[in-house]
Amino acid sequence: MNKGLLVVVSGPSGVGKGTICNALRSQYEDLVYSVSATTRLMREGEVEGVNYFFLSKEDFQEKIADGAFLEWAEVYGNFYGTPKWVIDAELTAGNNVLLEIDMQGALQVKKAYPESVLVFILPPSEEELAKRLSGRGTDSAEVIAKRLACWQQEKAMLKHYDYAVVNDTVAQAVEKISRIITAEECSVKRMEN
Ligand code: ADP
Ligand code: 5GP
């Protein structure tokens, strides 16, 4: 049996990663979504263990020391990490795993798992990115400005990715990612026997 694929979706804040991953999760039930740990406060509507495992800074540091994360990063002032044991168990069982993480984390994953598939989600334009960030209504003007400023540096990370998908419409982006997964599953170099 081949190992599962580790598909990493990342891109700037507000580009639509969460929306795309939710759609992928509901359309492809066999795709395992990895729930990250975070120290940020829970947003309205979020559920513990579904969106994130919400941890205190102390508990998060303890997990780092225990080597529990495949990768972790400080993103916009909060800590986020991917639980290593979940990923390893699912990949070994032959399941495809979907990660939605920031760009520093994506590069760490590629280093640890060179066979992972990195997908960069791009906005149709910078104006649209700003519109989506403010339209979401979850962040203050100050936080939005900080995230938009980060995008200016984040763009340069594209060259480290395997694929780029523009999020024009969610349906089109989901379709493209599902085709990327199919192509990677058919890749001869991935075949173990
Ligand atoms: P991210 O997870 O990348 O920070 P979200 O998934 O929270 O981004 O999306 C940010 C906002 O943009 C949300 O209000 C979401 O409904 C909206 N959005 C996402 N994708 C699209 C799209 N293709 N067209 C228009 N709005 C979108
Ligand atoms: P948010 O606070 O909006 O949910 O997420 C902020 C950023 O953290 C997003 O770019 C998201 O992709 C990233 N993120 C979420 N989970 C992880 C993780 O486990 N590791 C890393 N490195 N980034 C993450």
Side-chain angles (χ1 to χ4, degrees):
M1 185 180 58
N2 283 337
K3 271 179 82 173
L5 277 181
L6 183 55
V7 181
V8 182
V9 167
S10 65
S13 181
V15 75
K17 302 178 298 293
T19 309
I20 291 169
C21 287
N22 284 340
L24 278 166
R25 285 165 82 177
S26 55
Q27 280 179 43
Y28 301 95
E29 279 169 11
D30 51 348
L31 193 57
V32 177
Y33 180 77
S34 161
V35 178
S36 297
T38 183
T39 59
R40 87 149 157 71
L41 294 177
M42 197 186 273
R43 291 184 188 136
E44 217 184 299
E46 287 186 326
V47 178
E48 165 73 21
V50 174
N51 303 94
Y52 285 107
F53 294 107
F54 294 91
L55 301 182
S56 66
K57 273 202 169 143
E58 294 68 32
D59 287 346
F60 197 98
Q61 301 286 2
E62 206 172 291
K63 290 214 180 295
I64 295 175
D66 292 346
F69 295 126
L70 164 58
E71 62 73 38
W72 63 271
E74 188 176 354
V75 189
Y76 315 123
N78 294 300
F79 290 97
Y80 296 83
T82 304
K84 183 170 165 45
W85 70 96
V86 178
I87 309 291
D88 287 344
E90 295 290 355
L91 293 178
T92 304
N95 296 322
N96 293 341
V97 179
L98 178 65
L99 289 186
E100 188 227 309
I101 60 177
D102 91 306
M103 284 159 259
Q104 314 165 62
L107 299 193
Q108 287 184 57
V109 170
K110 192 72 175 172
K111 222 169 175 181
Y113 293 75
E115 67 283 10
S116 59
V117 181
L118 264 50
V119 181
F120 198 105
I121 309 294
L122 291 166
S125 66
E126 294 197 2
E127 294 71 39
E128 179 62 21
L129 180 63
K131 220 162 103 187
R132 287 185 191 172
L133 268 172
S134 52
R136 183 165 66 182
T138 52
D139 302 294
S140 65
E142 189 194 347
V143 167
I144 291 173
K146 209 155 117 188
R147 292 186 175 201
L148 279 173
C150 287
W151 169 232
Q152 299 310 318
Q153 283 104 55
E154 289 169 342
K155 277 192 265 195
M157 313 269 268
L158 179 61
K159 59 177 178 286
H160 301 294
Y161 281 67
D162 300 300
Y163 296 94
V165 169
V166 176
N167 180 17
D168 273 319
T169 72
V170 176
Q172 282 171 336
V174 166
E175 175 70 18
K176 284 180 188 165
I177 295 171
S178 115
R179 287 174 185 222
I180 289 168
I181 293 173
T182 305
E184 289 286 337
E185 282 177 335
C186 297
S187 155
V188 172
K189 68 176 191 293
R190 282 189 188 279
M191 290 182 183
E192 284 169 12
N193 298 304

